[in-house]
Amino acid sequence: MGMPRGEYDFGIAGLGVMGLNLALNIEEHGFSVAVWNRTREKTERFISEHAGKHFLGAETLEEFAAALKRPRRIMLVVKAGEPVSAVIAALKPLLEPGDILIDGGNSWFKDTQRRADALAEGGLHFFGVGVSGGEEGARFGPSLMPGGPAEAYDRVSPVLEAIAAKTSSGPCVSYIGPGGAGHFVKMVHNGIEYGDMQLIAEAYDILRKAAGLRAEQLAEVFAEWNRGPLESFLMELTARIFTVRDEETGRPLVELVLDEAAQKGTGGWAVQGALELGVPVPTIAAAVDARLLSAMKAERVAAGTPVFKAAKAGRPSIGTRDLITAVHDALHGAKICCYAQGMSLIRTASRTYDWDVDPKEIARIWKGGCIIRARLLDSIIDAYHSSPRAANLLLDERLGGRVSASEAGWRRALNAAQTIGIPAPAMCAALAYFDAYRSLDLPQSLIQAQRDAFGAHTYKRIDKPEIGPVHTDWQHGGSTAAAGGQSRRGTPG
């Protein structure tokens, strides 16, 4: 159905899986859409398959830009990195001040900030919008995390709110903050996703190896867990996976999947961002490491030779029913810690980059459409409603209480895993995080003494905080001096 040039509401550049499904979603909600793809064949096929819809298939970027209402609203749905830069460079001469470009891919948030600053010099508005939900979410309602200039958000919000997933709490989209805020939050979402998936995989591994559960039993266990506090999209999906059988062999299909997990890099970006900001995210980091280790298939096979084969260990001294309960508790406590780490990272980034991100809104828009949607998010919303500026979700009385209540079972599950050599890095990392976060006395006092002993890096005394940093000559009798001051022989180090 043709329309005059200059009258199309929205533009989609890039007709890969996500782009074409977003275009269909937008058109279905009453907006006319101009589309463009680098290869003309894909554009032509899309238009022919959706004849009668309010689409224009542009052969060139010039035709694409000319088709759109002013100010233009264009979403780029292309691969992160150089492809985004290339499309922006080609489009920029065709645009006018006030036009809006939206990067709907998984771009590194600092690239988004850089592009926004550069385009703003020419009067163009740039948004980085995290889109979560995969192919189905893009088509029927994703969770959207837009970051960009606040003054231009009302020009894109009608489209974003129309196509976003809907829950009892409203559309799953909210203005996140300026610059790279939206892509940063999406990056953290993906980090939590990595952690959650690894925790579920570890629960599966313990139950099949330590408890001997078969696929049909695992399906029942995970389906039951999905009716309680662990209810989530990933839990529902996992229960369904265990029911699928291979048509050729009749075996559960999951048992025929090679144990090498791929990744697109966003989990690693979350760890990198956390390191730069000084925020501990050990569960997410363990999940990234676990995927990297899984990809070392040939080395793992070699390490399984008799040279490295572990001595036969006894069976766990816990019954099957009790072990199932213990693994449930371990998954529950570790999952809360994983979300707590991610939200702490967002909070620190918001403060560092002056984004003013509302953590309660983040939890709200993750309730639908996205991969990590879960019942837990309601509790997180409640926690931030009570304490909007809470430093960590573990400080919330109810969430912290749930982690404490899971602790005994958590330790029993990990003891069972370690007894027979089942790796559970993310569950162990989450428990260590919980133990360290509430510890009144950590061994890093020794590390600081070591740093002072070999590098004169100074330390602070528990009993004399008022004197500030001090240095001790640890190797020659314990002479101590205030940093920059004179040595005081005999002062305890």
Side-chain angles (χ1 to χ4, degrees):
M1 185 178 297
M3 295 177 62
R5 295 297 191 267
E7 290 300 320
Y8 283 81
D9 298 315
F10 202 85
I12 291 286
L15 289 174
V17 171
M18 293 297 287
L20 70 86
N21 279 291
L22 283 168
L24 291 170
N25 190 351
I26 294 168
E27 194 274 343
E28 194 171 81
H29 282 88
F31 301 95
S32 55
V33 183
V35 300
W36 170 87
N37 194 73
R38 184 175 56 86
T39 56
R40 279 181 54 184
E41 294 78 12
K42 189 171 285 189
T43 304
E44 292 169 355
R45 184 167 61 250
F46 177 82
I47 294 298
S48 66
E49 289 175 352
H50 302 95
K53 301 289 186 178
H54 293 88
F55 289 119
L56 167 74
E59 294 186 5
T60 66
L61 282 176
E62 288 80 5
E63 182 185 357
F64 178 66
L68 296 169
K69 290 179 181 177
R70 278 63 165 176
R72 299 174 178 90
R73 297 175 292 183
I74 299 172
M75 178 177 280
L76 315 181
V77 194
V78 298
K79 188 177 180 181
E82 182 53 36
V84 174
S85 296
V87 176
I88 290 175
L91 269 173
K92 186 177 177 182
L94 308 174
L95 303 180
E96 302 166 2
D99 287 348
I100 300 169
L101 282 177
I102 303 165
D103 179 4
N106 281 326
S107 290
W108 174 238
F109 78 99
K110 289 186 178 179
D111 286 345
T112 302
Q113 182 65 65
R114 173 179 53 80
R115 289 166 179 149
D117 291 343
L119 290 168
E121 293 177 3
L124 300 176
H125 301 298
F126 188 73
F127 283 83
V129 178
V131 181
S132 180
E135 178 181 355
E136 184 176 350
R139 178 66 183 87
F140 300 109
S143 175
L144 299 168
M145 293 149 261
E151 66 273 17
Y153 182 64
D154 62 351
R155 300 179 203 165
V156 297
S157 60
V159 176
L160 300 184
E161 290 179 5
I163 68 170
K166 309 297 190 298
T167 73
S168 59
S169 299
C172 293
V173 59
S174 182
Y175 177 71
I176 304 299
H183 273 150
F184 188 94
V185 168
K186 176 54 163 55
M187 177 188 76
V188 175
H189 165 283
N190 285 19
I192 295 172
E193 178 186 313
Y194 272 55
D196 202 0
M197 292 174 72
Q198 177 64 25
L199 291 170
I200 292 171
E202 291 174 12
Y204 155 65
D205 211 21
I206 296 171
L207 292 179
R208 67 171 174 151
K209 292 178 179 176
L213 298 191
R214 300 182 303 276
E216 57 268 25
Q217 295 169 306
L218 289 164
E220 293 176 1
V221 168
F222 277 77
E224 175 63 30
W225 287 356
N226 194 49
R227 291 189 282 271
L230 291 175
E231 179 187 355
S232 69
F233 167 73
L234 284 171
M235 192 64 64
E236 177 186 359
L237 182 66
T238 303
R240 190 182 313 134
I241 285 172
F242 291 130
T243 68
V244 177
R245 291 193 171 269
D246 176 46
E247 293 182 358
E248 183 177 344
T249 65
R251 291 176 58 186
L253 185 56
V254 68
E255 296 177 3
L256 300 174
V257 177
L258 185 66
D259 59 335
E260 293 183 7
Q263 55 183 318
K264 293 185 177 179
T266 48
W269 283 356
V271 176
Q272 179 184 339
L275 285 171
E276 291 180 358
L277 291 167
V279 179
V281 291
T283 310
I284 297 171
V288 173
D289 286 343
R291 292 201 190 189
L292 294 173
L293 268 166
S294 79
M296 300 163 60
K297 180 67 174 182
E299 292 182 51
R300 291 191 287 114
V301 170
T305 65
V307 175
F308 292 104
K309 207 167 187 68
K312 287 187 177 180
R315 303 298 297 174
S317 57
I318 180 173
T320 298
R321 187 178 298 275
D322 288 340
L323 181 55
I324 292 172
T325 300
V327 173
H328 171 280
D329 291 349
L331 187 53
H332 189 191
K335 184 184 182 82
I336 294 173
C337 285
C338 184
Y339 276 77
Q341 291 164 33
M343 298 305 285
S344 179
L345 178 53
I346 290 172
R347 175 182 179 274
T348 301
S350 176
R351 186 174 62 247
T352 302
Y353 300 120
D354 196 25
W355 285 338
D356 196 25
V357 176
D358 182 351
K360 182 160 62 68
E361 272 292 276
I362 302 303
R364 184 191 68 78
I365 67 174
W366 285 350
K367 282 184 59 177
C370 72
I371 304 301
I372 64 170
R373 57 188 186 266
R375 181 186 294 190
L376 173 61
L377 289 162
D378 284 317
S379 298
I380 293 175
I381 291 171
D382 291 341
Y384 284 123
H385 182 75
S386 301
S387 303
R389 300 189 180 278
N392 193 296
L393 287 171
L394 294 181
L395 297 176
D396 178 71
E397 183 176 354
R398 286 163 294 184
L399 285 174
R402 285 163 62 176
V403 177
S404 294
S406 72
E407 181 183 352
W410 196 347
R411 295 188 191 280
R412 285 196 299 271
L414 291 179
N415 180 65
Q418 292 169 353
T419 296
I420 58 176
I422 302 170
M427 283 188 179
C428 288
L431 183 58
Y433 176 80
F434 176 58
D435 285 339
Y437 191 73
R438 62 189 176 141
S439 177
L440 300 179
D441 181 18
L442 290 170
Q444 277 66 34
S445 54
L446 176 59
I447 291 174
Q448 196 60 19
Q450 292 170 332
R451 294 181 73 247
D452 189 50
F454 68 65
H457 293 295
T458 74
Y459 64 96
K460 295 178 182 177
R461 293 178 59 100
I462 296 173
D463 58 339
K464 299 177 180 180
E466 71 280 357
I467 66 174
V470 296
H471 167 59
T472 294
D473 184 356
W474 298 86
Q475 301 184 60
H476 300 94
S479 174
T480 300
Q486 298 298 313
S487 175
R488 299 197 305 277
R489 296 286 300 179
T491 302

